[in-house]
Amino acid sequence: MSEVRPPLPPFTAESAAAKVQAAEDAWNSRDPQRVALAYTPDSLWRNRDEFLTGREEITAFLTRKWAKENGYALRKQLWAFTEDRIAVRFQYEWHDESGQWFRSHGNELWEFAPDGLMRRREASINDVPIDESDRSLFGPRAKEAE
């Protein structure tokens, strides 16, 4: 049975923004299995200096990531899109086991299969130490009243 993950390409401004928000929501769950289901079984990743292939490696990576990055809170923003690609800028905050807070900034390039699963993710990320008093992200984004 084929998996389908709407919205599907070709993207519009509205559907690309919805795809970005869905990714933000999933990543803020900090559930590696949930997040990995948004990627093709053979998805290719570059995350900083790590290269991953497939859901099993993605799940293992995310498990390690969120074991280290405590208090993780992420915001993603649509930067640009084409029919099957989306560019995102993001920032997230987290603290290590010693209590040092960080703000991580980056850009992601996403490529999607026709079924809406991400087949390629390229992420460039920089970490900046911050004081806890400089934090600006607290948990998942609040949903707007409808």
Side-chain angles (χ1 to χ4, degrees), residues 9-36:
F11 295 114
T12 63
E14 182 177 303
S15 65
K19 197 68 145 175
V20 171
Q21 186 61 56
E24 177 183 305
D25 293 344
W27 280 68
N28 275 322
S29 77
R30 292 179 285 184
D31 179 341
Q33 283 83 20
R34 174 183 172 191
V35 172

Side-chain angles (χ1 to χ4, degrees), residues 4-99:
V4 176
R5 180 65 61 120
L8 307 176
F11 295 114
T12 63
E14 182 177 303
S15 65
K19 197 68 145 175
V20 171
Q21 186 61 56
E24 177 183 305
D25 293 344
W27 280 68
N28 275 322
S29 77
R30 292 179 285 184
D31 179 341
Q33 283 83 20
R34 174 183 172 191
V35 172
L37 290 175
Y39 302 91
T40 61
D42 60 350
S43 186
L44 299 173
W45 272 34
R46 181 187 60 79
N47 193 88
R48 301 176 192 251
D49 61 351
E50 288 191 62
F51 295 84
L52 311 170
T53 302
R55 287 182 179 160
E56 187 173 314
E57 289 184 18
I58 291 168
T59 300
F61 168 83
L62 293 171
T63 300
R64 288 190 316 274
K65 171 186 178 61
W66 289 320
K68 173 187 168 195
E69 296 178 352
N70 301 298
Y72 180 93
L74 167 72
R75 299 295 183 272
K76 291 182 182 278
Q77 181 180 35
L78 177 64
W79 186 263
F81 69 94
T82 64
E83 286 188 6
D84 66 347
R85 294 180 180 175
I86 296 176
V88 174
R89 65 185 208 153
F90 64 87
Q91 65 177 333
Y92 59 93
E93 294 176 351
W94 58 281
H95 68 86
D96 64 16
E97 64 283 345
S98 75

